[in-house]
Amino acid sequence: KIFLFLFFISSSIYFFYAIFTSSRGLILVFFVGYFAIQSFYNKLTTSKMIIGFSAIVFIGVVMTLIRIDYANEFSFGQITDNFIKAISYIVVNNGGIDIPKLQHLIEYVQREGDYRFGGFISNIVLLFIPRAIWTDKPVNIDTEFGFKVYDGISYGSGAVPPGIYGEFFWDFSWPGIVISAILVGIFLGYADKFLRNNYDSVFVKVCYSISILWSGMGIIGSGAASYFM
């Protein structure tokens, strides 16, 4: 009972925070993690999956419809416009696998000849150095991509994750895409092996459900340096 009470309290706080910050991804992470834990103990039923999936879609659509620009007043027209675009908002995600985004990066790099030859991969080490010590420290690839390709002007909100394929292409051209695909496969293979070798550990199951499970999307969609940082 104490565990259920703590689970209810923590889940409520988590949900309120996700809704307050309009973070649909957090809702998805919660439900998928719950499904994973249930499946580990053979308690995941078809009815639970249907209810959970319906809840994800409902919450995602509602949060999409009410997502507004707080610089403007809330209007019915804005709600209507968001409803029309709801499907594209749900499917397209800057942190996910985005082929058109990769194409934009490839065109930019080839046009400008702006190959970095390992500069972005080195950020895995360099970004640990505080900017207070190294004021000219390079920005991460998300910010660089947003500024160079999408004409972003603000740090943080102007960042666009290129994914590991874009990251390696920017560093090593076409061979980088092949190398990155192989490295992702090796990493995910080891992650799967780690779970199978420690399947009886509750700690490993929880860690896998809330973190390791998302490694593929995190690395492929965001990038190696961003993921490990």
Side-chain angles (χ1 to χ4, degrees):
K1 293 182 178 180
I2 295 177
F3 175 78
L4 291 177
F5 175 75
L6 293 176
F7 174 77
F8 175 77
I9 294 298
S10 61
S11 298
S12 299
I13 295 174
Y14 182 93
F15 263 86
F16 279 119
Y17 174 79
I19 294 174
F20 179 75
T21 58
S22 190
S23 301
R24 294 164 297 183
L26 294 180
I27 303 295
L28 179 64
V29 168
F30 175 85
F31 278 102
V32 173
Y34 174 77
F35 290 158
I37 291 292
Q38 290 283 301
S39 67
F40 286 143
Y41 295 97
N42 297 318
K43 293 183 179 180
L44 183 61
T45 62
T46 303
S47 59
K48 288 182 179 179
M49 292 184 63
I50 294 175
I51 294 174
F53 178 76
S54 300
I56 293 173
V57 173
F58 175 76
I59 295 173
V61 170
V62 171
M63 291 178 68
T64 298
L65 294 180
I66 64 177
R67 176 175 286 185
I68 63 174
D69 182 357
Y70 288 100
N72 300 319
E73 294 183 356
F74 190 79
S75 66
F76 178 76
Q78 192 170 20
I79 290 292
T80 303
D81 183 62
N82 281 350
F83 178 77
I84 294 174
K85 299 177 181 178
I87 300 301
S88 62
Y89 286 156
I90 294 172
V91 174
V92 178
N93 187 312
N94 279 343
I97 303 172
D98 192 331
I99 299 301
K101 185 172 60 177
L102 175 61
Q103 180 63 31
H104 290 324
L105 185 148
I106 291 175
E107 291 176 350
Y108 164 79
V109 174
Q110 290 182 327
R111 182 176 66 251
E112 302 294 333
D114 188 22
Y115 296 98
R116 299 303 177 90
F117 304 105
F120 287 121
I121 298 302
S122 65
N123 282 344
I124 294 178
V125 176
L126 298 180
L127 291 180
F128 279 101
I129 303 174
R131 195 169 293 277
I133 298 176
W134 183 14
T135 56
D136 294 328
K137 183 180 72 172
V139 297
N140 64 9
I141 189 171
D142 298 11
T143 300
E144 187 80 3
F145 184 35
F147 280 29
K148 294 289 187 180
V149 180
Y150 289 92
D151 297 324
I153 58 175
S154 60
Y155 290 91
S157 60
V160 180
I164 190 172
Y165 300 137
E167 182 180 34
F168 270 69
F169 180 86
W170 208 337
D171 268 343
F172 308 113
S173 188
W174 292 107
I177 294 182
V178 177
I179 294 172
S180 61
I182 295 173
L183 292 177
V184 168
I186 293 174
F187 176 79
L188 295 180
Y190 273 113
D192 180 71
K193 186 177 180 180
F194 173 75
L195 172 66
R196 294 177 184 276
N197 291 340
N198 300 276
Y199 196 80
D200 294 331
S201 170
V202 175
F203 176 75
V204 170
K205 290 178 179 178
V206 172
C207 288
Y208 192 91
S209 300
I210 65 178
S211 178
I212 302 176
L213 179 64
W214 299 95
S215 296
M217 180 178 177
I219 297 175
I220 297 175
S222 185
S226 297
Y227 175 78
F228 288 109
M229 284 297 296

